Amino acid sequence: MLPPLIRLASCRNLVRNSMTLRFKFVSSLAQLSSSDVSDSSSDENNTNLVRRPLDKLDKFEVIETLHKLNREPNIGLSFITQLKAFGFKHDVVSYMAIVRFLCHWGMDIRLYSLFMDVIDNNNGELLSFEISDLCDALIEEIEMEGLEKLIKAIYVLVKVYASVGRFEDAIDTLYKIKRGRLVLSTRTCNYLMNQLIEWDKLDMVESVYRQLKMKGLVPNVYTYGILIKGLCRKGCLEEANDVLRQMEEAGVEPNAFTFGTYIDGLCSKGKTDHAFQKLKSFRESNLPVNLFAYTSVIRGFIKESKLEDVENVLLDMLHTEVFPDADCYCVLIQGYCQKGDIHRALDLYEEMESRGIKTNCVIVSSIMQCLCGLGKLVESVAWFFDIMKSGVFLDEISFNITIDALCKLKKMDEAMKLFNDMKGKNMKPDVVHYTTLIKGYYLNEEPWNAYEIFEEMKLNGLKPDFITFDVLASGLSRFGSFEDTIDLLHDMQTQGLEPTSITHNVIIEGLCKGEKTKEAEVYFNSLHPKNLDNYAAMMNGYCEANNTTDAFELLFSEKRLFAKRASCLKLLSCLCAEGETKKAMKLYKEFEASDNGPCKTMYSEIIYLLCRVEDMRTARVIFDKMIQKGFTPDVVTYTMMLYGYCRVKWLNEAHNLFLDMKNRGIKPDIYTYTVLLHGARTKEDVKDLTDELKENGLSFDVNCYTVVINKYCQLNNLHEAVLLFKEMKDKGVEPNTVTYTVFARGLCHQGYRNHAVALVDEMISKGIQLNKSTIRALEVVIKKCNFDH
């Protein structure tokens, strides 16, 4: 291959003497004017050029043609395109001709694509040279000819290098420019530094900046801003702050981009409080602060779960008259949705719409996902269809959230309709959508439809992933045969996917849920080696099958299982529900002796069990330990303890615990007051509690009314019981079986037997179901009435 300098000399001589060369097709090509070609990529123009014998050209003919077309950019571009289409193999000389042409017309985007082709030319099919050869040729021609237009090509080449991560080549190219005594482009250097940050080459940013500055870089406000961004992402916050001082020394005034970048950098490193203080100090000093800075602070506080601070930022924005845009509202709404505060998210959504800012599918999906997470599936589906009717574009994610919600609502026909509607909107369902439907059909106990969807997915060329197979494994193990499950595992392996621990676990638990505990044991025993998750899955499976005995034995035979707190908690809940006090206490004590100790939920579960069996001494010991370990009992746990004390008639202890509850700032709910009213001893106690209940803004429910009516009857205050029963119905709270029973019994005991019979008749006429306890109580009432008659 000729040295670059010789090649360039040959090329220049060729151009000077180009009028002596003639080609068979050039004359007709040159006659085409720019008016003949309105679009360089049009079919008509391409056809005209394709008819020329382009496959017969050599590099000298290409160079002269481009020279002749120097005033015809559209035709020239078409010629270049056709050369590529015919597979013309360029060398450096012919390629330089194209570079000159594009530089002459300032076609930077075309240059970018041209250089990218050289970098992508790995096998040398289209080009017979390397990108470094082209770079050398460019530098030499600039130095010899002083063609300043070609300097654009160098800067574009640097951008190409940086965009593909070839930073050493990019830096070397910039140094070559300097060696040629040309001025470095600040804009190009900024691009290079920014790409270093995007490629996470944070250690290089500052050193490259210093080297380029030594080579003649004149930094501008954006250079400093990029440097600050790199230092902040690296965690060098003090150094980033020093850059602000360097700017002042250099006489470069920071702008909103600079301050915003600094604020964003502080937030990215968890220094959001400091960032907000800086932002306010910048604003108070009349320094430019834009919406980007505020959005960064909002995002930082949301990430740190400081929603009260987010509200302070919004107030500061309002004071400064910096209003959120669509991106800012998106961050806000997503943040509140992630924390489950759907009411605030919807308030922000309404505020956004009132400002005339259009919503988007990301915001809509966030709200829908939050509604689903809160169990508001119906509301999520309604939201989706309302938004769709308004004409807002909803993407595949929005559709999948709604399909999933419909599946959980057991509306599979509607889910399938929406799935098909999605196809009609030119959206291509992916594995996630199919997996959602498969899971939905299994959830609705329609395994045959799940299998059909799975087959359709495969027919459409979609390969099931691990999640799909796990859903299938869970469903088949529950609704299919054991052999079907094993066949699925073989199918999974033929797809190149080895079953994971999750796959094994869903099969074990699925078999147990499908009442196939023996098969689950066989499968469990076939796993070699077994890990802790497999043991936990078997224990969970036993719990699902209501086999707490085997679950308990497995736990204590494999003591490492105590590390799986969730599985132990599940077993503890099952033992407590079954009243297995000894086993539950043994499990609790094992955790108490461990390094981590019981969690708050474990304390609550064991306290509830002990209260039910009326072992209040032990319950109080554990309750006190819970507080000593730093767990503050919630209203439910306090109510459990109060319930236990009232059952065993330890009313003084109940009174003192109630005071302790209020002193800790835990607000009693209606269930707490119902428990206390049940244990009240005097009319004054009942009155005080009911008055306090109302003062706290609580309303009686059917259970509370029933307890108080029963209590008034027991205290021989039938007048108050009658008034309360009337009030109950006036307020639209329907009495239930227990309410009628206790009131009828109270009337009977006070001698109002006819009224009691009338009350029983009213109850029956309303179609209220009688349970065994109620029937026995009413039989006593009726017998007494008949006896008196």
Side-chain angles (χ1 to χ4, degrees):
M1 182 181 292
L2 290 172
L5 190 58
I6 297 174
R7 291 200 304 268
L8 286 172
S10 301
C11 179
R12 286 192 293 275
N13 291 332
L14 174 67
V15 172
R16 293 191 187 101
N17 299 301
S18 60
M19 295 304 294
T20 63
L21 299 173
R22 293 290 183 268
F23 309 118
K24 293 179 181 179
F25 67 94
V26 167
S27 57
S28 59
L29 183 62
Q31 289 171 7
L32 291 173
S33 66
S34 58
S35 61
D36 296 322
V37 185
S38 60
D39 184 354
S40 61
S41 61
S42 68
D43 292 339
E44 182 181 355
N45 188 50
N46 288 340
T47 303
N48 289 337
L49 289 173
V50 168
R51 289 173 183 169
R52 312 303 180 188
L54 298 179
D55 54 331
K56 304 297 183 181
L57 296 179
D58 60 25
K59 66 179 180 181
F60 301 108
E61 294 170 326
V62 168
I63 293 167
E64 184 182 8
T65 303
L66 284 170
H67 178 71
K68 284 182 171 292
L69 295 175
N70 209 32
R71 294 185 180 180
E72 302 290 348
N74 290 337
I75 301 174
L77 283 176
S78 295
F79 178 61
I80 293 167
T81 302
Q82 290 301 308
L83 286 172
K84 184 176 180 179
F86 270 86
F88 182 84
K89 193 164 186 176
H90 289 280
D91 64 4
V92 172
V93 177
S94 60
Y95 221 66
M96 276 295 299
I98 297 175
V99 171
R100 286 190 212 94
F101 178 86
L102 296 176
C103 285
H104 177 78
W105 288 103
M107 299 179 179
D108 292 359
I109 296 175
R110 297 273 185 174
L111 270 173
Y112 188 95
S113 178
L114 195 76
F115 290 140
M116 192 62 77
D117 286 343
V118 184
I119 288 177
D120 291 339
N121 184 48
N122 295 323
N123 53 13
E125 286 184 3
L126 295 177
L127 307 169
S128 62
F129 59 91
E130 300 291 335
I131 188 72
S132 57
D133 298 330
L134 185 62
C135 179
D136 291 340
L138 272 167
I139 296 291
E140 290 174 19
E141 184 155 344
I142 291 169
E143 290 177 349
M144 292 184 67
E145 297 292 329
L147 299 175
E148 291 188 6
K149 284 185 179 180
L150 285 182
I151 196 69
K152 283 185 179 180
I154 292 292
Y155 294 142
V156 172
L157 179 57
V158 171
K159 289 184 178 181
V160 171
Y161 275 138
S163 66
V164 297
R166 291 176 57 169
F167 296 110
E168 290 183 2
D169 291 325
I171 295 165
D172 185 54
T173 303
L174 286 174
Y175 288 175
K176 286 178 180 177
I177 294 175
K178 183 56 187 171
R179 285 200 296 272
R181 296 182 299 281
L182 296 170
V183 178
L184 285 177
S185 164
T186 302
R187 188 173 181 179
T188 304
C189 293
N190 289 350
Y191 181 87
L192 170 60
M193 289 171 59
N194 207 41
Q195 284 299 108
L196 283 168
I197 295 171
E198 294 302 314
W199 282 72
D200 205 28
K201 303 286 185 181
L202 303 178
D203 291 333
M204 294 178 63
V205 177
E206 189 176 12
S207 62
V208 167
Y209 164 75
R210 295 188 186 283
Q211 291 176 51
L212 290 174
K213 196 174 178 185
M214 289 173 61
K215 297 290 183 181
L217 168 65
V218 179
N220 62 14
V221 66
Y222 296 104
T223 314
Y224 287 114
I226 294 165
L227 180 58
I228 288 170
K229 178 166 69 170
L231 290 167
C232 286
R233 288 200 184 178
K234 190 180 175 183
C236 302
L237 303 180
E238 287 298 325
E239 290 85 343
N241 195 46
D242 288 340
V243 175
L244 292 173
R245 288 193 287 269
Q246 292 174 27
M247 292 180 71
E248 186 178 354
E249 293 170 2
V252 178
E253 187 175 345
N255 60 9
F257 169 77
T258 316
F259 292 122
T261 301
Y262 179 55
I263 294 296
D264 184 62
L266 290 172
C267 296
S268 69
K269 290 300 173 182
K271 304 284 186 182
T272 312
D273 285 315
H274 181 53
F276 188 35
Q277 294 306 316
K278 279 282 186 184
L279 186 151
K280 288 192 288 187
S281 68
F282 290 153
R283 175 177 55 74
E284 288 164 4
S285 301
N286 292 321
L287 296 172
V289 178
N290 60 11
L291 179 59
F292 172 75
Y294 277 104
T295 305
S296 296
V297 172
I298 289 170
R299 187 182 288 109
F301 278 135
I302 287 173
K303 188 177 179 181
E304 296 169 21
S305 301
K306 296 178 178 178
L307 296 184
E308 288 184 6
D309 291 312
V310 171
E311 295 296 331
N312 291 333
V313 178
L314 290 173
L315 287 173
D316 195 75
M317 290 174 70
L318 186 64
H319 175 74
T320 317
E321 295 188 348
V322 176
F323 300 107
D325 61 3
D327 291 335
C328 187
Y329 274 115
C330 187
V331 170
L332 283 164
I333 292 169
Q334 281 184 311
Y336 280 101
C337 285
Q338 287 166 9
K339 302 304 175 186
D341 191 347
I342 189 63
H343 298 294
R344 182 61 177 136
L346 290 173
D347 286 343
L348 287 164
Y349 185 86
E350 290 180 8
E351 179 186 309
M352 179 184 75
E353 285 203 317
S354 69
R355 292 182 182 276
I357 299 172
K358 292 184 178 179
T359 188
N360 57 52
C361 58
V362 177
I363 294 173
V364 172
S365 295
S366 296
I367 292 174
M368 288 169 56
Q369 196 73 61
C370 183
L371 287 168
C372 290
L374 295 170
K376 300 178 181 292
L377 301 175
V378 174
E379 291 87 342
S380 178
V381 172
W383 175 270
F384 171 84
F385 284 109
D386 285 345
I387 296 295
M388 190 164 65
K389 286 177 184 176
S390 71
V392 174
F393 169 75
L394 296 175
D395 62 2
E396 291 86 348
I397 295 173
S398 309
F399 273 84
N400 190 64
I401 293 169
T402 308
I403 290 169
D404 185 51
L406 289 168
C407 290
K408 289 173 180 174
L409 289 168
K410 299 186 181 299
K411 296 182 178 181
M412 292 308 300
D413 290 341
E414 292 181 35
M416 275 304 302
K417 183 179 182 302
L418 188 61
F419 181 73
N420 291 324
D421 288 346
M422 180 181 165
K423 295 178 189 176
K425 293 180 181 293
N426 294 322
M427 293 182 183
K428 193 172 182 180
D430 58 16
V431 174
V432 175
H433 298 93
Y434 279 102
T435 302
T436 299
L437 280 173
I438 292 168
K439 187 177 180 180
Y441 276 122
Y442 277 129
L443 181 68
N444 288 276
E445 300 185 3
E446 298 179 33
W448 56 91
N449 283 329
Y451 180 76
E452 284 185 12
I453 290 294
F454 178 57
E455 289 298 310
E456 179 186 322
M457 182 181 81
K458 291 194 293 184
L459 284 173
N460 287 335
L462 295 172
K463 283 190 175 183
D465 57 15
F466 281 108
I467 298 175
T468 311
F469 273 114
D470 287 346
V471 169
L472 286 164
S474 178
L476 270 181
S477 58
R478 186 174 180 183
F479 296 105
S481 67
F482 185 49
E483 291 74 18
D484 291 334
T485 306
I486 301 303
D487 288 343
L488 177 70
L489 292 179
H490 293 153
D491 188 18
M492 185 176 182
Q493 289 171 324
T494 59
Q495 297 281 340
L497 301 173
E498 282 296 323
T500 64
S501 180
I502 295 173
T503 311
H504 297 312
N505 297 341
V506 297
I507 289 173
I508 292 167
E509 292 188 40
L511 288 168
C512 291
K513 287 177 182 177
E515 300 180 355
K516 303 167 191 169
T517 310
K518 294 299 179 186
E519 289 88 340
E521 289 172 344
V522 170
Y523 186 81
F524 171 72
N525 291 327
S526 71
L527 299 176
H528 297 290
K530 300 179 184 66
N531 61 30
L532 200 58
D533 289 331
N534 301 144
Y535 280 99
M538 192 68 242
M539 193 168 82
N540 291 341
Y542 281 134
C543 291
E544 289 287 348
N546 297 318
N547 187 353
T548 54
T549 300
D550 284 343
F552 188 78
E553 288 178 1
L554 181 62
L555 173 64
F556 280 90
S557 68
E558 185 64 41
K559 290 238 176 169
R560 293 182 306 146
L561 271 172
F562 281 95
K564 306 300 290 186
R565 191 180 288 269
S567 298
C568 292
L569 181 56
K570 185 170 186 173
L571 175 58
L572 181 65
S573 297
C574 291
L575 290 170
C576 290
E578 293 175 8
E580 293 281 358
T581 309
K582 288 183 179 180
K583 289 180 179 178
M585 285 300 295
K586 184 178 179 180
L587 177 53
Y588 162 76
K589 287 176 180 177
E590 284 288 338
F591 263 100
E592 191 177 33
S594 67
D595 293 335
N596 295 327
C599 62
K600 185 175 180 178
T601 307
M602 284 183 180
Y603 280 117
S604 298
E605 286 281 356
I606 205 73
I607 288 169
Y608 185 39
L609 171 62
L610 292 168
C611 290
R612 282 195 355 249
V613 299
E614 300 182 4
D615 185 357
M616 293 310 298
R617 285 189 173 84
T618 308
R620 185 56 191 248
V621 169
I622 294 176
F623 182 84
D624 291 340
K625 282 183 180 178
M626 180 181 182
I627 295 173
Q628 289 169 11
K629 293 290 184 181
F631 298 112
T632 302
D634 57 16
V635 64
V636 177
T637 307
Y638 267 105
T639 303
M640 289 176 193
M641 286 292 296
L642 291 169
Y643 166 78
Y645 279 138
C646 289
R647 281 192 69 175
V648 298
K649 303 290 192 291
W650 291 8
L651 302 181
N652 287 333
E653 287 81 353
H655 176 73
N656 293 334
L657 187 67
F658 186 55
L659 292 177
D660 177 70
M661 176 184 181
K662 292 190 286 187
N663 289 336
R664 290 181 185 273
I666 298 169
K667 192 175 181 181
D669 60 16
I670 189 63
Y671 302 105
T672 312
Y673 282 108
T674 302
V675 165
L676 290 169
L677 284 163
H678 185 72
R681 289 174 292 187
T682 64
K683 297 175 184 178
E684 290 73 19
D685 289 341
V686 175
K687 186 177 185 308
D688 289 345
L689 285 168
T690 53
D691 288 346
E692 184 179 321
L693 181 157
K694 293 173 183 176
E695 286 171 8
N696 287 337
L698 298 173
S699 300
F700 280 58
D701 62 7
V702 63
N703 293 323
C704 192
Y705 271 116
T706 301
V707 166
V708 179
I709 289 169
N710 185 49
K711 185 58 63 174
Y712 278 133
C713 289
Q714 291 173 352
L715 295 170
N716 299 321
N717 192 346
L718 197 60
H719 177 68
E720 288 295 336
V722 171
L723 290 177
L724 204 61
F725 188 75
K726 184 178 182 301
E727 176 192 304
M728 180 182 187
K729 293 199 286 187
D730 289 344
K731 289 189 174 181
V733 180
E734 284 296 323
N736 60 20
T737 306
V738 182
T739 315
Y740 276 106
T741 302
V742 298
F743 191 33
R745 189 166 53 197
L747 288 167
C748 184
H749 287 165
Q750 294 294 315
Y752 295 95
R753 294 178 176 86
N754 290 336
H755 290 83
V757 171
L759 196 66
V760 172
D761 290 340
E762 178 187 319
M763 174 183 173
I764 295 170
S765 68
K766 286 188 175 182
I768 296 175
Q769 297 294 320
L770 306 179
N771 55 39
K772 291 181 181 179
S773 176
T774 307
I775 291 172
R776 284 196 297 269
L778 291 176
E779 282 176 349
V780 173
V781 172
I782 293 168
K783 283 179 182 178
K784 286 187 177 182
C785 291
N786 292 336
F787 178 78
D788 290 341
H789 286 299

